[in-house]
Amino acid sequence: MAYLAPRLGHFRIFNHSVSACRLLGMADMGLALSRSPLERLDFDNVALKKLPLDSSEEPGVRQVNGACFSRVKPQPVTKPRFVAVSHEALALLGLNGEEVMTDPLGPEYLSGSRVMPGSETAAHCYCGHQFGQFAGQLGDGAAIYLGEVKVPPGQDSDLLRENPSGRWEIQVKGAGKTPFSRQADGRKVLRSSIREFLCSEVMFFLGVPTTRAGSVVTSDSRVVRDVYYSGNPRNERCSVVLRIAPTFLRFGSFEIFKQADESTGRQGPSYGRHEIRSQMMDYVIEMFYPEIQRNHPDRMERNVAFFREVMLRTARLVAQWQCVGFCHGVLNTDNMSILGLTLDYGPYGFMDRFDPNFICNASDNSGRYSYQAQPAICRWNLVKLAEALAPELPPDRAEEVVDEYLDLYNGFYLETMRKKLGLLKKDEPEDEILITELLQTMHNTGADFTNTFRSLSQISCPTEGEEEEELVRKATELLLQQCASLEELKAANKPTMDTRELTMLLSVAQSNPALFQMISDRATIARQLEIISKLKDLMETSQEELQSKHAEDWSGWITRYRKRLARELEGQSDVRALQEERVRVMDSTNPRVVLRNYIAQNAIEAAENGDFSEVQRVLKVLQKPFSSQPGLESPAWVGRGQTTDQGEREEEEEEEQQQQQQQQQAASSSTARTPVPYDSKPPTWANEICVT
């Protein structure tokens, strides 16, 4: 590595080799030259120098008062080993992925089992509003800060603009208890670690701002988890993800100063410590928003400009989520990045069949964090951030900024949606109506979100002498392939609320509105009634009638779409060049593949059977989500059977057989499934996947 020689004293060692051998000894010099690449990382842990640090290493869960970080010690795991690494993410730190993968100490360092030279392990203290209620102290209950690594020489200039601090913060997630672990054990398991690792990377390659993931390490250490909350717990392997970002500070970082909440009675652990809030704002703005620091000598104007930039980045981020069909699942204030990055990958999901009410988190019974609610929820979270920044941020100025959010969000959303539809030359007021009608048609027909948008580039701009009716018919057939069948729509429109419960709530709504407000809400009831009405219509429809209705809906929209495309040609001399540009932009905006739940599940089940190749294969596919990749169209491992080392399996066989008998929900092993291409609509079995 480039920085090895200077650190070892380049001129003394290599210009006076005999003296060097006497100083180091031959064995020592050989050891020094073969050091782990992770021991060469150049740490400069500014956050711990500039923000209050609780130096106590007292074990156990506790309130951390007057500090932003608390020192912790990661807990080692047994026999750590790599599942996968992201070469691109590790390159941010100046690391070569192959070197890290083959480094005997690599899994130990990147699981927290061994601490790298220069690393200072700590956990971040923050609070948050969870599902609308202030929860008090939360903090890094499973993530452990390892430090900040200086940006290596030659880092891409675009990355430096995105990260002006000149440092990358690295964390290990799943390395054991911290003061903020509450009732948990600070561990993560293989399935959640693989999901976070893969989604962090695909979001980056989709062009969506995100934290990164450098590696996944698993081990022989085990923890008990009740996967389905069914009373049938099982042992799972402790696994650890390496996370990378300029900073992991979040909206909730500023909520540690909150006074007692009117609803919950909880307050931040550093309530009243206004000097720390000022210190944290100075740190964040100086390190990550240096232009704002330079351009606003007045402190109040600086703080307003900072909040406006956070608001703008948040509006852009959620618009990008909506345009790729991504649902975060838990948009609490503690999961909102102060830099406008996608943060904390838990029960996320990419939509398959388009449904504005899509809920990816099975624990979200109210639909607070549904797909269509995300823009409004992010605005709500910005309001909570503004409250946390007062009085550094005057409330009236904050309100003015928040009022700009909706227009900014709509602007970002329409800009990307026009690219997704290939509307490049003109911005017309009717475009918003055309997009709304497209989404309504997709919803009515149960069309696949990703594949429908990907198919639109195959619908050409109108030209003279062509058979309009025939082209509309062919385009309709193309899009009908992405629509749901009658049985799929029936399954999708089953009420989630028991009929008796719904009847009772309707009765209470009429007889005792105050009680109804306490136990339910009108939006939830309205959704259930809408679902029941739609299901009733479906029960009275045949597949042929449904197909005919879908064809009618699509042909009508395609006709309107082609008329709009015709207006793109007005004043254009080279129609062919315009069409080629349109296809290029659309196919670089509408991904061919995203991390659908069934793709992640295949990789997880393979890994749990000891085969990590599918995780690595999926990562390779996701690194080029807009491209066709011959030879990588489908999973390679499905149907191959288990590849785990036999000796390792024997000692666990009896235990796992007992667990398999208990876990009837997981009885249909992936090894019996027919391989499904990565760009396919989800297979039937994917409907059974439950993420909480």
Side-chain angles (χ1 to χ4, degrees), residues 96-133:
N96 178 290
E98 290 296 336
E99 284 186 14
V100 172
M101 279 285 280
T102 56
D103 176 13
L105 296 179
E108 292 194 46
Y109 280 131
L110 298 186
S111 65
S113 300
R114 184 188 291 248
V115 178
M116 289 174 274
S119 170
E120 296 181 78
T121 54
H124 177 42
C125 179
Y126 53 82
C127 293
H129 282 79
Q130 299 192 314
F131 287 87
Q133 298 295 319

Side-chain angles (χ1 to χ4, degrees), residues 4-158:
L4 176 59
R7 188 173 282 194
L8 291 176
H10 174 72
F11 296 105
R12 278 202 310 165
I13 292 177
F14 291 98
N15 291 342
H16 304 281
S17 57
V18 174
S19 300
C21 290
R22 287 188 188 130
L23 285 169
L24 293 175
M26 292 300 293
D28 290 338
M29 191 170 78
L31 181 62
L33 293 174
S34 63
R35 287 165 53 194
S36 164
L38 293 161
E39 294 174 2
R40 304 171 198 153
L41 291 177
D42 190 4
F43 281 95
D44 184 12
N45 308 322
V46 177
L48 302 190
K49 299 171 187 173
K50 294 204 169 187
L51 297 176
L53 171 65
D54 172 31
S55 59
S56 169
E57 293 185 2
E58 176 189 344
V61 174
R62 56 191 169 83
Q63 283 284 109
V64 175
N65 304 313
C68 299
F69 288 90
S70 182
R71 290 202 183 277
V72 296
K73 291 181 179 178
Q75 296 168 306
V77 291
T78 306
K79 293 185 180 177
R81 53 195 174 276
F82 282 120
V83 175
V85 305
S86 168
H87 295 245
E88 287 75 8
L90 290 178
L92 296 173
L93 310 177
L95 294 169
N96 178 290
E98 290 296 336
E99 284 186 14
V100 172
M101 279 285 280
T102 56
D103 176 13
L105 296 179
E108 292 194 46
Y109 280 131
L110 298 186
S111 65
S113 300
R114 184 188 291 248
V115 178
M116 289 174 274
S119 170
E120 296 181 78
T121 54
H124 177 42
C125 179
Y126 53 82
C127 293
H129 282 79
Q130 299 192 314
F131 287 87
Q133 298 295 319
F134 185 65
Q137 177 177 290
L138 298 171
D140 285 334
I144 294 178
Y145 164 103
L146 298 182
E148 295 150 75
V149 176
K150 286 184 180 178
V151 168
Q155 188 114 109
D156 184 87
S157 57
D158 289 339

Side-chain angles (χ1 to χ4, degrees), residues 281-300:
M281 286 191 75
D282 290 345
Y283 169 75
V284 169
I285 296 171
E286 289 169 11
M287 294 294 292
F288 308 108
Y289 296 96
E291 286 190 12
I292 291 174
Q293 181 71 20
R294 286 195 299 269
N295 296 337
H296 295 86
D298 180 83
R299 184 179 182 85
M300 186 183 74

Side-chain angles (χ1 to χ4, degrees), residues 465-566:
E466 66 182 9
E467 291 289 336
E468 172 72 14
E469 188 174 330
E470 177 63 14
L471 286 169
V472 170
R473 185 187 64 79
K474 287 183 177 179
T476 299
E477 289 179 355
L478 174 70
L479 296 182
L480 284 174
Q481 294 174 23
Q482 301 305 330
C483 297
S485 68
L486 179 61
E487 292 308 310
E488 287 171 333
L489 285 177
K490 285 179 182 177
N493 284 281
K494 285 184 178 177
T496 56
M497 187 180 292
D498 184 89
T499 307
R500 290 168 296 182
E501 181 185 358
L502 180 60
T503 303
M504 182 271 290
L505 287 173
L506 287 170
S507 175
V508 172
Q510 291 181 331
S511 62
N512 193 337
L515 176 61
F516 174 77
Q517 290 289 349
M518 294 172 62
I519 61 177
S520 188
D521 63 273
R522 295 190 182 279
T524 300
I525 300 300
R527 278 198 301 271
Q528 294 299 311
L529 292 174
E530 182 184 351
I531 289 170
I532 290 171
S533 175
K534 192 166 185 177
L535 182 60
K536 181 176 180 292
D537 290 342
L538 290 169
M539 298 299 288
E540 298 170 354
T541 304
S542 68
Q543 178 64 45
E544 293 72 23
E545 290 171 330
L546 184 73
Q547 185 85 354
S548 176
K549 180 67 171 65
H550 287 180
E552 181 183 342
D553 287 350
W554 275 117
S555 61
W557 183 83
I558 290 166
T559 300
R560 294 189 292 277
Y561 178 46
R562 282 173 56 81
K563 285 181 180 177
R564 173 63 180 85
L565 290 177

Side-chain angles (χ1 to χ4, degrees), residues 122-295:
H124 177 42
C125 179
Y126 53 82
C127 293
H129 282 79
Q130 299 192 314
F131 287 87
Q133 298 295 319
F134 185 65
Q137 177 177 290
L138 298 171
D140 285 334
I144 294 178
Y145 164 103
L146 298 182
E148 295 150 75
V149 176
K150 286 184 180 178
V151 168
Q155 188 114 109
D156 184 87
S157 57
D158 289 339
L159 287 172
L160 292 176
R161 276 194 296 273
E162 292 175 13
N163 180 15
S165 72
R167 296 163 184 79
W168 293 102
E169 180 182 329
I170 59 175
Q171 295 184 341
V172 280
K173 185 174 180 179
K177 284 188 175 183
T178 76
F180 314 109
S181 296
R182 290 171 285 172
Q183 290 81 36
D185 53 25
R187 294 297 190 189
K188 295 297 175 182
V189 295
L190 194 54
R191 55 192 161 82
S192 61
S193 299
I194 287 172
R195 280 176 57 84
E196 171 145 8
F197 172 76
L198 289 175
C199 201
S200 299
E201 292 305 281
V202 72
M203 291 295 269
F204 172 77
F205 290 105
L206 286 170
V208 180
T210 179
T211 60
R212 302 293 299 276
S215 63
V216 182
V217 175
T218 193
S219 70
D220 283 357
S221 299
R222 291 182 176 259
V223 287
V224 175
R225 294 287 187 269
D226 188 349
V227 186
Y228 301 104
Y229 301 101
S230 60
N232 294 313
R234 64 179 173 122
N235 282 315
E236 297 192 62
R237 294 186 182 278
C238 294
S239 303
V240 181
V241 177
L242 176 73
R243 308 204 300 178
I244 306 169
T247 181
F248 286 87
L249 294 180
R250 54 202 71 207
F251 288 15
S253 301
F254 289 95
E255 292 189 292
I256 63 173
F257 314 105
K258 181 175 168 54
Q259 63 186 14
D261 186 76
E262 291 180 3
S263 299
T264 65
R266 301 186 183 102
Q267 71 176 34
S270 294
Y271 170 64
R273 300 293 301 273
H274 303 301
E275 77 284 359
I276 300 178
R277 176 172 42 223
S278 300
Q279 202 174 339
M280 195 187 301
M281 286 191 75
D282 290 345
Y283 169 75
V284 169
I285 296 171
E286 289 169 11
M287 294 294 292
F288 308 108
Y289 296 96
E291 286 190 12
I292 291 174
Q293 181 71 20
R294 286 195 299 269
N295 296 337

